[in-house]
Amino acid sequence: MSLCNFRVFDSPEAAARVLASEVGELIRSRAGEGRQVVLGLATGNTPLPFYRELARLHREEGLSFSNVTTFNLDEYLGLPREHAESYWTFMHRNLLDHIDVPAGNVNLPSGTVPEADIPAHCADYEARIREAGGLDFQLLGIGRTGHIGFNEPGSPKDSRTRRIHLDEITRQDAAPAFGGIGNVPTHAVTMGCGTILEARRIVLLAWGSKKASIVREALRGPVNDQVSASFLQEHPNAVFYLDREAAAELI
Ligand code: F6R
């Protein structure tokens, strides 16, 4: 039996409001205890309404992120931070420039680490997550291949942060943003499934009819490495927040 549940909302914005208020509550209650919160963050189109709502909570409701440490799931290999499509740029443009997370608390894998140094860089990323106390909360989207992070089909359940070859479907989905598939990187560094599954709470967001069949596979299909999101079925505190279109094949 799957441990993983789902909630259906009228719109992405409605889901984002509920999730941002939950995360805001976690941040505030930890701040009250003088403790840090460690958030695992995602990029892509899906989290944008959530990031807009977090920025609004900061701007209009005084939510401070001064006790927050962030770790992003992944970064394209070959892109310097300042590249328009790097996840470093994405996170700053869409969230980090609008809140008060201390710059030293922001962690993303490097897209420019020399190939020979990638294993050490990945081991260091894992060590930094551990030293921060582990991920309190991990935000996820889902790719058409069923990937979480960039854990493409074939990624073992116990995989750790590493270099990964991007699936052609994932590269095609990224092609418009890069102005053609030829410009899309072929590799990335991603947290592993094992890294993600150690988070104490996980929320996967998915919107729109294009995600409906992979959402069904992830929640109702067999648990195996062909759909890395299916591993969430075995997590004791993971939930999918969906709009009606993405949930259409579940109900
Ligand atoms: C992003 C990530 C990916 C995306 C997924 C969905 O950091 O790791 O797993 O969440 O590819 O992307 P969008 O949201 O653009 O549909």
Side-chain angles (χ1 to χ4, degrees), residues 134-216:
L135 300 163
D136 290 304
F137 168 83
Q138 177 65 55
L139 178 71
L140 297 174
I142 184 168
R144 280 200 295 147
T145 60
H147 68 211
I148 49 175
F150 273 141
N151 289 287
E152 300 290 17
S155 296
K157 188 179 179 190
D158 61 358
S159 49
R160 311 302 310 188
T161 302
R162 69 204 186 287
R163 177 182 192 261
I164 189 120
H165 182 256
L166 295 171
D167 194 281
E168 278 314 295
I169 293 177
T170 300
R171 294 185 65 242
Q172 276 164 21
D173 285 346
F178 279 88
I181 193 149
N183 301 325
V184 181
T186 54
H187 291 79
V189 169
T190 183
M191 279 188 203
C193 296
T195 323
I196 293 168
L197 292 168
E198 281 169 12
R200 288 182 273 276
R201 176 165 173 77
I202 300 177
V203 178
L204 184 149
L205 305 177
W207 327 129
S209 52
K210 283 194 187 143
K211 297 284 171 85
S213 71
I214 196 65
V215 161
R216 176 183 35 78

Side-chain angles (χ1 to χ4, degrees), residues 116-131:
D117 299 338
I118 291 175
H121 179 68
C122 294
D124 177 64
Y125 203 67
E126 293 272 338
R128 278 190 278 154
I129 295 173
R130 268 198 311 278
E131 280 156 22

